[in-house]
């Protein structure tokens, strides 16, 4: 399998397309994609490249890049150009012609790309141009396809034994060869309801552990059975913060602080990896997970309302949720963190100071001096999670067009019926304190803070698209979480 990245630079001439596709075919073949997936990748590249050549440039003398980046789970192809600005939100949804002789409507190219690959992401880099990311995952077998003799989920859930004495449990890092047993643990614990689908694909889980993007801790019984799993996950190896999660414990071994032991092991690993902090997102359909995170050193710092769909299934909760599921953000440093300067929006300064105090972080609360200059163009990162009908937007650089671009993203996402958006802003940038009020006029409201996720100090804002969330139905554990929800209830009233 290929491990290094490749970069093609070509001029904007269609004659180069066959050469680009020939390279892409060989690259994807070496990555392990079969013939059918290779054809889909080539078709997606053709649509993207033709779009750049025909619409991005006004002459054939300009060049653009196609980057091929292998990943543990597949391939990422990045088409990067410095051509004319582009807004994907202005492209309408594709509608098939009613008559075979009619010309296809606009949006066909985007429709084809989305059908051929697993994810299509557009990144506006401001003065750095723009990028289109095509992500295709390898079709590895799931735990059910690999496993023979798996017991029915209901039998596993009904069989609960009570140990008269604490079991002998070994806590250690997962070996790649144990990924299949971990996947089986998740299948038997959650069925197919767990949001992170990587837990159902042993090959992906093993490879991501080898790459260091996931670090899995396991609990092993004296019989050698994997009875617990917890992990920390990073998007890239350069991230200074990892998300803790992907937790499961065999029902027969619950009540013995296995989660606590795995979390302590992962904290030690995070220090060895030179991370600065770990964060988590706890469900609010019950308070048990929140109680566990506090016991292992986390402090609550934010809440996102209605993040996941109401038909999300939870272990031992038979009825459908009454509303979209909300999550509690929690945080803990793994090293001593220095004091930094932050610029708090004046309207939320009181609650934000309380959150920093609760986290035990020292911050210098500064006031911006005058109006900070801004470049013409903003840099924003947009990611859609179609499986839960949510999206995330990160404003990496404010530009004079920030509100307009954000409004366009909102319009596009609302049209596509995305129900929840999370917006991340840099509290270390004095412009944030000035822009927050204008952003909230678009319908965003406060969610909390989360240090080191995207920025050293990050403000969470959120937006609900016709999703009704009743804060009184959210189950919370910590006093600060209850205070945050009370604050949010006033915000959305």
């Amino acid at each position: 399998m290929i491990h290094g990245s490749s970069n093609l630079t070509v001029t904007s001439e269609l004659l180069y397309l066959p050469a680009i596709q020939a390279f892409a075919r060989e690259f994807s073949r070496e990555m392990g994609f079969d013939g059918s997936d290779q054809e889909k990748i080539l078709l997606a590249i053709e649509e993207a490249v033709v779009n750049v050549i025909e619409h991005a440039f006004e002459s054939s003398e300009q060049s653009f890049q196609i980057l091929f980046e292998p990943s543990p789970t597949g391939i990422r192809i990045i088409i990067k150009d410095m051509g004319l600005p582009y807004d994907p939100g202005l492209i309408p949804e594709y509608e098939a012609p009613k008559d075979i002789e009619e010309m296809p409507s606009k949006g066909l190219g985007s429709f084809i790309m989305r059908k051929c690959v697993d994810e299509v992401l557009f990144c506006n880099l401001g003065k750095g141009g723009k990028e289109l990311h095509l992500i295709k995952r390898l079709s590895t077998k799931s735990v059910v396809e690999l496993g023979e003799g798996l017991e029915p989920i209901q039998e596993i859930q009904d069989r609960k034994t009570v140990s008269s004495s604490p079991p002998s449990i070994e806590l250690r890092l997962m070996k790649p060869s144990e990924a299949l047993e971990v996947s089986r643990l998740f299948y038997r614990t959650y069925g197919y309801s767990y949001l992170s689908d990587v837990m159902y694909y042993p090959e992906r889980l093993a490879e991501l552990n080898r790459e260091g993007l996931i670090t899995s801790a396991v609990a092993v019984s004296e019989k050698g059975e994997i009875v617990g799993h917890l992990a920390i996950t990073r998007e890239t190896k350069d991230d200074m913060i990892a998300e803790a999660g992907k937790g499961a414990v065999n029902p027969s071994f619950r009540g013995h602080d296995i989660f606590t032991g795995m979390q302590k092991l992962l904290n030690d690993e995070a220090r060895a990896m030179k991370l600065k902090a770990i964060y988590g997102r706890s469900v609010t359909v019950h308070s048990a997970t929140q109680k566990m995170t506090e016991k292992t050193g986390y402090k609550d710092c934010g809440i996102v309302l209605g993040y996941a769909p109401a038909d999300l299934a939870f272990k031992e909760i038979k009825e459908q949720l009454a509303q979209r599921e909300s999550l509690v953000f929690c945080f803990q440093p793994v090293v001593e963190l220095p004091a930094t300067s932050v610029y708090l929006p004046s309207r939320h300064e009181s609650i934000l100071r309380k959150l920093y105090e609760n986290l035990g972080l020292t911050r210098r609360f500064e006031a911006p001096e005058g109006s900070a200059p801004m470049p013409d163009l903003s840099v924003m990162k947009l990611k859609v999670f179609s499986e839960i009908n949510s999206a995330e937007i990160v404003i990496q650089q404010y530009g004079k067009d920030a509100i307009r671009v954000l409004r366009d993203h909102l319009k596009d996402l609302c049209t596509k019926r995305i129900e929840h958006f999370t917006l991340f802003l840099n509290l270390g940038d004095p412009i944030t304190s000035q822009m927050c009020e204008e952003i909230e006029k678009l319908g965003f409201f406060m969610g909390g803070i989360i240090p080191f996720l995207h920025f050293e100090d990050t403000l969470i804002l959120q937006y609900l698209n016709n999703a009704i969330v009743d804060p009184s139905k959210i189950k919370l554990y910590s006093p600060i979480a209850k205070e945050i929800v009370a604050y949010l209830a006033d915000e959305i009233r």
Side-chain angles (χ1 to χ4, degrees):
M1 178 180 287
I2 294 175
H3 295 285
S5 300
S6 297
N7 184 349
L8 302 180
T9 300
V10 297
T11 53
S12 55
E13 298 176 80
L14 279 174
L15 290 174
Y16 279 111
L17 181 58
I20 295 169
Q21 290 182 303
F23 183 88
R25 183 185 294 279
E26 287 303 306
F27 195 98
S28 57
R29 183 181 64 80
E30 289 294 333
M31 285 295 301
F33 288 99
D34 62 23
S36 175
D37 279 341
Q38 290 174 31
E39 293 301 326
K40 291 177 182 178
I41 290 170
L42 266 57
L43 181 54
I45 289 175
E46 179 179 347
E47 291 295 331
V49 168
V50 169
N51 184 64
V52 168
I53 292 173
E54 292 185 348
H55 302 293
F57 300 117
E58 296 177 330
S59 76
S60 61
E61 298 176 357
Q62 294 175 277
S63 62
F64 63 99
Q65 295 177 302
I66 306 100
L67 291 78
F68 296 83
E69 296 184 351
S71 76
T73 58
I75 187 174
R76 180 187 293 262
I77 301 160
I78 304 172
I79 295 88
K80 182 175 182 178
D81 70 82
M82 299 285 289
L84 294 169
Y86 170 71
D87 184 353
L90 299 179
I91 302 299
E93 285 290 298
Y94 171 71
E95 293 183 5
K98 297 179 181 178
D99 190 300
I100 194 171
E101 295 184 356
E102 289 183 22
M103 291 293 291
S105 66
K106 292 183 178 180
L108 177 60
S110 297
F111 175 81
I112 291 174
M113 284 188 283
R114 289 196 300 270
K115 288 294 183 181
C116 290
V117 298
D118 296 300
E119 288 185 63
V120 179
L121 305 175
F122 175 77
C123 299
N124 182 352
L125 305 179
K127 292 183 178 180
K130 58 186 184 292
E131 293 179 349
L132 183 71
H133 293 227
L134 305 173
I135 300 168
K136 183 71 174 176
R137 299 187 184 93
L138 288 162
S139 300
T140 52
K141 290 185 177 181
S142 74
V143 59
V144 174
E145 294 172 296
L146 288 169
E148 295 182 1
L150 283 175
E151 300 173 69
I153 296 167
Q154 193 57 49
E155 291 182 17
I156 296 294
Q157 294 178 349
D158 290 343
R159 177 172 17 104
K160 294 186 179 180
T161 60
V162 179
S163 176
S164 58
S165 59
S168 176
I169 296 294
E170 178 190 7
L171 300 175
R172 57 171 171 78
L173 297 183
M174 185 193 80
K175 301 172 185 177
S177 61
E178 295 170 326
L180 177 58
E181 287 305 310
V182 170
S183 290
R184 286 174 169 172
L185 171 67
F186 273 78
Y187 174 76
R188 288 165 170 158
T189 304
Y190 300 104
Y192 271 129
S193 70
Y194 198 74
L195 281 176
S196 179
D197 66 349
V198 71
M199 302 312 298
Y200 299 106
Y201 291 88
E203 293 176 25
R204 295 185 196 171
L205 179 61
E207 188 61 31
L208 287 166
N209 267 270
R210 292 189 192 99
E211 292 286 319
L213 298 178
I214 292 181
T215 301
S216 292
V218 292
V220 186
S221 72
E222 51 190 358
K223 294 182 180 180
E225 178 188 7
I226 302 292
V227 297
H229 178 273
L230 191 66
I232 53 175
T233 304
R234 297 180 290 172
E235 287 194 12
T236 74
K237 291 184 180 180
D238 295 329
D239 292 347
M240 289 290 99
I241 190 171
E243 181 176 9
K246 299 176 172 56
V249 170
N250 184 313
S252 301
F253 289 81
R254 290 176 184 168
H256 299 293
D257 275 346
I258 290 176
F259 266 126
T260 303
M262 291 189 293
Q263 182 64 68
K264 290 179 179 178
L265 173 60
L266 290 174
N267 285 357
D268 292 338
E269 286 300 311
R271 292 187 192 94
M273 294 159 62
K274 301 190 183 304
L275 297 181
K276 294 184 182 295
I278 304 175
Y279 78 101
R281 292 181 289 179
S282 303
V283 297
T284 58
V285 67
H286 56 72
S287 60
T289 305
Q290 301 166 48
K291 185 177 181 180
M292 186 273 292
T293 57
E294 184 169 286
K295 184 177 181 179
T296 53
Y298 290 90
K299 300 293 183 182
D300 295 337
C301 55
I303 294 178
V304 288
L305 301 178
Y307 180 81
D311 58 1
L312 188 68
F314 287 90
K315 177 75 171 69
E316 297 177 359
I317 297 177
K318 308 299 183 186
E319 69 276 7
Q320 182 174 322
L321 300 180
Q323 59 185 3
R324 284 180 66 89
E325 172 65 352
S326 302
L327 301 180
V328 178
F329 272 82
C330 58
F331 172 91
Q332 68 166 308
V334 295
V335 296
E336 186 174 350
L337 299 176
T340 59
S341 295
V342 293
Y343 300 83
L344 305 182
S346 58
R347 183 163 171 263
H348 304 299
E349 182 171 353
S350 177
I351 185 69
L352 294 178
R353 281 177 176 262
K354 285 184 180 180
L355 295 181
Y356 274 115
E357 182 181 357
N358 183 62
L359 294 180
L361 299 181
T362 302
R363 290 293 183 264
R364 295 183 294 270
F365 300 107
E366 309 279 3
E369 298 180 1
S371 298
M374 284 192 291
D376 291 333
L377 300 179
S378 302
V379 177
M380 297 189 191
K381 180 180 178 182
L382 168 65
K383 189 170 186 179
V384 176
F385 304 93
S386 56
E387 67 276 12
I388 56 173
N389 216 22
S390 294
E392 291 184 356
I393 303 173
V394 182
I395 300 184
Q396 298 172 314
Q397 173 184 286
Y398 295 103
K400 295 175 182 177
D401 64 344
I403 298 299
R404 180 190 62 77
V405 173
L406 192 55
R407 185 186 293 112
D408 289 344
H409 281 318
L410 279 180
K411 182 179 179 181
D412 179 51
L413 293 169
C414 288
T415 300
K416 294 175 180 176
R417 295 183 174 86
I418 302 298
E419 293 185 272
H420 178 275
F421 321 137
T422 313
L423 178 65
F424 297 101
L425 306 178
N426 184 5
L427 282 172
D429 187 339
I431 298 177
T432 293
S433 63
Q434 301 168 353
M435 291 287 290
C436 189
E437 183 176 351
E438 292 300 311
I439 291 173
E440 288 182 293
K441 289 179 181 177
L442 299 177
F444 285 93
F445 58 96
M446 211 278 290
I449 58 173
I450 180 68
F452 291 103
L453 183 62
H454 304 298
F455 310 105
E456 193 163 9
D457 287 277
T458 305
L459 176 67
I460 305 170
L461 297 182
Q462 54 190 311
Y463 184 101
L464 291 172
N465 177 26
N466 292 322
I468 306 300
V469 178
D470 183 353
S472 68
K473 295 180 180 179
I474 297 174
K475 294 181 174 64
L476 300 168
Y477 176 72
S478 72
I480 192 68
K482 295 175 182 178
E483 188 169 348
I484 296 170
V485 160
Y487 188 89
L488 299 187
D490 290 336
E491 288 284 290
I492 64 176
R493 187 169 297 156

